[in-house]
Amino acid sequence: MADEPDNEQLANFLVVYAGTIPQFEGLHLSPVVLEMQLRNPIFRESALRHHRKFQEDMRQLSSKMEKGELQCDHIRGNGKRCPNHNEPGSFYCGLHLEDV
């Protein structure tokens, strides 16, 4: 695909993305080593699947944010999130837009 990352970009993505996966906690990944591994077509395809899933998740999140279909991101003093829906185009409801 034309919009797929090159191996250097994909290696950098994997270093950051791995931090969101509990199984990789404490693992220190090197972009240089990963970039070499990405020369293997099987490893590259596996990495691209993670990248595509991340992109799709971000598209869905962005779409929901634009439509006002998310829970407000404001954290109340008691540690709980505000129960209101976000204002379209923001991650906050109308009461907490000033938190941005």
Side-chain angles (χ1 to χ4, degrees):
M1 292 180 104
D3 63 341
E4 288 183 343
D6 62 27
N7 285 352
E8 180 182 3
Q9 293 167 327
L10 192 54
N12 288 321
F13 163 77
L14 290 173
V15 168
V16 174
Y17 185 73
T20 67
I21 302 171
Q23 295 89 332
F24 293 124
E25 186 178 329
L27 187 63
H28 300 287
L29 300 175
S30 163
V32 174
V33 173
L34 286 172
E35 191 174 349
M36 290 187 325
Q37 292 293 323
L38 288 166
R39 294 177 188 159
N40 177 327
I42 294 170
F43 187 80
R44 179 172 168 76
E45 185 55 39
S46 177
L48 285 170
R49 279 195 300 274
H50 286 288
H51 188 264
R52 289 180 198 124
K53 181 183 179 328
F54 176 79
Q55 286 181 313
E56 180 57 29
D57 290 349
M58 291 299 101
R59 275 192 287 276
Q60 289 177 6
L61 180 66
S62 179
S63 176
K64 287 181 177 184
M65 187 262 294
E66 290 299 326
K67 295 176 185 175
E69 297 175 349
L70 298 175
Q71 184 177 356
C72 176
D73 265 357
H74 176 77
I75 305 297
R76 294 174 166 183
N78 63 5
K80 295 182 181 180
R81 282 180 65 187
C82 173
N84 298 330
H85 279 88
N86 68 303
E87 286 290 316
S90 172
F91 285 105
Y92 296 92
C93 71
L95 297 173
H96 303 109
L97 283 176
E98 71 277 358
D99 293 348
V100 178

